[in-house]
Amino acid sequence: MADIIIGSGPSGVSAAKALLDRGRDVLMVDAGKTLEPEHMAQRDEMAAQPPQGWDKTRRDAYQQGQFETPDGQARRYGSDFAMEPADATLSGEHGWFGLRSSRAGGGLSNLWGGAVLPYRQQDIADWPVNITQLAPHYAAVAGFMPVSGAKDGLCDLLPGIEMAGRSPVPPGPQARNLLERLSKKSNRLALDGIHFGAARQAVDGDCKACGMCLHGCPWGYIYSSQRTLSELKSHPRFTYRPNAVALSFFENSTGVDVALEGGETLRGEHLFIGAGVLETARIMLASDPSGTREMTLMDSQHAFVPMLHRWRSTPRPDALPYTTLPQIFVEIDAPDVSPNLVHAQFYTWNEHFARDLIANYGFGLGITKPVLNAVARRLIVAQVFLHSQHSSRINLRLSGDGKLIPTLQPNPQTPVVLKSARQNLSRAMGRVGMTTLGFATRLGPAGSSFHVGGSVPMSANPVAGQSDTLGRPLGLSRVHLVDGSVLPSIPATTITFSVMANAHRIAASAP
Ligand SMILES: Cc1cc2nc3c(=O)[nH]c(=O)nc-3n(C[C@H](O)[C@H](O)[C@H](O)COP(=O)(O)OP(=O)(O)OC[C@H]3O[C@@H](n4cnc5c(N)ncnc54)[C@H](O)[C@@H]3O)c2cc1C
Ligand code: SF4
């Protein structure tokens, strides 16, 4: 009998890789939505020509869908296939909640920013698994997912992944300039607990610097777990069942039954659930393995901190070639801010900047478009993430219609730690020629960082509502949760690489 995996997102494919490497048979059950043919055709048309061959009309048409994205959603290739609208998953008053689920092949990795850092031991001191145990699994994941970056000032701080021999995606003019300025002041910055380096990105070295990252890479150079799924499909012991929505499971002494929408039941020897934290919570609550009525999600809350650089950028940042994923990571290691790292990823010019400026500060204040366009070319935005210790939590209950009712548990520490982190970052960036626009800082709604999990946290001695170190909720021996649901806390330094490593670790050691 095969092992069943629910989900083809980053966690699901990581578990599949480990199980297949052990000689097990795998049946992957996946809601599995795909990009619509018309959007696929538009993407392929773009990819058929080098970026120099795209005229303005084509570029604008490719980007337009993203500019029209409804609030709270993310979109690539003009399509909503990869993110479910809030109402599909949530019930009750949920306008404050930013997390969404995916029912796509490849899950949310069709949309993500590809920022990948390992965790630091100190930041997972409350976990029953340590960084030495995770390290071989980070390496295994980096064997099938590209990790770009450099051997630089972040390596000593975050040694979980070997960076020797890796190359960064070439930085654009603003990022190059900022990195040089940071390097010149590195000793002084280190005294303030500021460490920096090239972004670690799940992006192929073939990147053509066409600047379309936030609209959907025409060549698929930004890793999506769809890529690994395609490879898995040719494995003789792997079976893929798309268009299959799992509702609940039932475990007995000989296996696990998975009930699908439509009435069919599948039986597996073991079940690995990587449906993303919202869908996994829904499946858990519907299956009710130990009378679980409620779950609590942990969040790594984030904020956008805009800054203006005081130097003149040459060449212009909006002239190709450039990329628009975050290009620089800055880690704040300062006990007076937090005992844990605060992570900041820096975005340089992209075509959303001027639009946002015009929408927020434009004609109402009488500022003209050319002025705001010029300001946008000096804008760099830091996305700052906090450890879950300082972030809000979200309670989830199942409603009568099978959706989730979220309730917010705000954390009074969030604004305090964020302010302190911003001041620290602002001081550091002031030393290298940047001015922070503190008044324009925007705290993201709870869940909107998508760095969320911890609803069934792993524990060495699990009690009700927790799982063991193999992601098995208390009372279950054949069901393993492999996505962010089992993280005991959410450090700031990006979630997905660690979720993948942990899923690989669980599937590599599960009985
Ligand atoms: C805009 C955006 C940017 C992001 N940027 C980053 C980043 O830079 N770095 C980072 O670390 N993280 C980032 N993330 C978060 C990252 O995308 C997720 O952490 C990651 O995709 C989670 O992987 P997963 O496998 O747990 O779940 P998902 O990616 O959500 O995949 C879930 C899978 O389960 C399937 N599924 C769901 N429900 C069912 C069901 N009931 N039955 C059957 N199948 C089901 C889906 O079809 C899908 O295949 C970002 C997310 C977004 C939205
Ligand atoms: S710049 Fe972004 S969209 Fe363009 S090729 Fe590189 S990764 Fe793909």
Side-chain angles (χ1 to χ4, degrees):
M1 202 168 20
D3 289 332
I4 297 178
I5 297 177
I6 302 177
S8 65
S11 62
V13 300
S14 302
K17 279 283 211 183
L19 289 173
L20 291 168
D21 285 349
R22 293 173 63 192
R24 308 265 277 251
D25 292 330
V26 171
L27 167 61
M28 182 174 276
V29 173
D30 190 12
K33 290 184 183 174
T34 51
L35 186 64
E36 301 81 358
E38 66 275 21
H39 296 299
M40 216 180 278
Q42 194 188 21
R43 180 198 64 190
D44 294 347
E45 252 177 55
M46 292 288 280
Q49 275 202 341
Q52 298 74 13
W54 303 337
D55 60 22
K56 184 170 172 348
T57 314
R58 261 180 104 179
R59 290 185 71 91
D60 288 352
Y62 195 67
Q63 296 178 344
Q64 192 54 36
Q66 284 56 251
F67 296 136
E68 292 165 0
T69 308
D71 272 357
Q73 296 294 115
R75 199 180 254 184
R76 298 289 182 267
Y77 307 113
S79 166
D80 294 320
F81 82 105
M83 184 177 278
E84 296 296 295
D87 285 341
T89 317
L90 303 172
S91 203
E93 171 40 48
H94 55 72
W96 52 270
F97 189 33
L99 186 62
R100 302 284 180 270
S101 63
S102 174
R103 287 195 168 180
L108 294 172
S109 69
N110 291 288
L111 301 167
W112 74 327
V116 282
L117 271 177
Y119 286 159
R120 178 178 74 152
Q121 177 55 37
Q122 201 176 319
D123 295 350
I124 57 166
D126 56 341
W127 288 31
V129 175
N130 63 37
I131 205 73
T132 311
Q133 291 164 306
L134 282 174
H137 303 286
Y138 282 123
V141 171
F144 61 87
M145 176 178 81
V147 177
S148 67
K151 196 158 174 61
D152 56 22
L154 295 179
C155 292
D156 289 344
L157 195 65
L158 294 154
I161 173 90
E162 178 52 71
M163 293 307 291
R166 300 184 189 278
S167 313
V169 172
Q174 288 171 307
R176 210 165 38 239
N177 204 320
L178 179 54
L179 273 172
E180 280 166 16
R181 285 162 176 263
L182 288 164
S183 298
K184 283 184 191 148
K185 298 274 167 125
S186 61
N187 292 340
R188 180 65 194 83
L189 293 171
L191 293 177
D192 288 339
I194 297 285
H195 306 271
F196 62 89
R200 276 63 167 147
Q201 296 173 325
V203 175
D204 288 316
D206 295 334
C207 164
K208 296 183 195 295
C210 74
M212 287 293 180
C213 314
L214 302 178
H215 301 280
C217 178
W219 297 273
Y221 290 145
I222 304 170
Y223 174 82
S224 144
S225 57
Q226 274 201 55
R227 185 190 301 186
T228 306
L229 175 62
S230 304
E231 290 160 17
L232 290 172
K233 283 181 187 167
S234 59
H235 194 290
R237 280 182 282 100
F238 181 82
T239 309
Y240 182 57
R241 252 312 280 279
N243 309 314
V245 172
L247 297 178
S248 62
F249 62 81
F250 175 75
E251 173 185 309
N252 65 20
S253 59
T254 55
V256 187
D257 291 331
V258 178
L260 301 185
E261 212 170 67
E264 191 183 351
T265 299
L266 302 173
R267 188 158 181 74
E269 185 143 3
H270 302 92
L271 173 63
F272 296 82
I273 309 183
V277 291
L278 284 178
E279 283 286 337
T280 295
R282 195 145 83 135
I283 293 168
M284 279 291 291
L285 290 166
S287 306
D288 195 12
S290 54
T292 316
R293 294 274 176 272
E294 190 168 303
M295 292 178 162
T296 304
L297 286 174
M298 298 172 196
D299 191 8
S300 160
Q301 250 175 306
H302 72 138
F304 291 99
V305 181
M307 302 173 186
L308 291 177
H309 59 75
R310 299 193 290 267
W311 70 83
R312 189 156 179 273
S313 184
T314 45
R316 270 172 62 143
D318 55 349
L320 287 173
Y322 60 84
T323 69
T324 51
L325 293 179
Q327 299 186 59
I328 297 174
F329 289 169
V330 172
E331 309 305 320
I332 305 177
D333 181 19
D336 56 330
V337 175
S338 166
N340 304 115
L341 289 181
V342 172
H343 169 71
Q345 45 195 47
F346 281 61
Y347 293 82
T348 54
W349 187 91
N350 66 63
E351 55 296 313
H352 291 280
F353 280 5
R355 288 174 167 264
D356 285 356
L357 284 175
I358 289 165
N360 290 319
Y361 305 105
F363 310 121
L365 297 180
I367 309 175
T368 62
K369 204 168 164 183
V371 170
L372 289 169
N373 279 333
V375 173
R377 289 196 293 272
R378 291 207 174 212
L379 191 62
I380 292 183
V381 176
Q383 186 181 17
V384 177
F385 294 85
L386 306 181
H387 190 279
S388 55
Q389 180 192 358
H390 310 302
S391 305
S392 52
R393 294 184 174 211
I394 300 104
N395 282 3
L396 297 174
R397 282 180 298 121
L398 203 61
S399 71
D401 58 4
K403 297 180 187 175
L404 295 166
I405 305 174
T407 316
L408 181 66
Q409 288 180 18
N411 186 335
Q413 286 184 33
T414 309
V416 181
V417 179
L418 178 62
K419 185 173 175 200
S420 168
R422 193 189 68 210
Q423 285 169 342
N424 189 301
L425 194 61
S426 173
R427 210 169 32 245
M429 294 302 131
R431 295 186 195 285
V432 296
M434 306 239 286
T435 302
T436 301
L437 307 178
F439 66 90
T441 300
R442 260 193 297 142
L443 177 67
S448 63
S449 69
F450 284 82
H451 295 190
V452 181
S455 44
V456 193
M458 292 184 294
S459 165
N461 300 297
V463 296
Q466 297 181 330
S467 56
D468 68 7
T469 55
L470 294 177
R472 290 176 295 196
L474 186 74
L476 297 174
S477 58
R478 291 174 177 273
V479 177
H480 303 258
L481 310 187
V482 293
D483 56 24
S485 308
V486 293
L487 304 191
S489 56
I490 319 286
T493 47
T494 79
I495 190 170
T496 306
F497 195 19
S498 297
V499 164
M500 294 173 83
N502 194 50
H504 192 273
R505 181 191 64 78
I506 290 174
S509 346

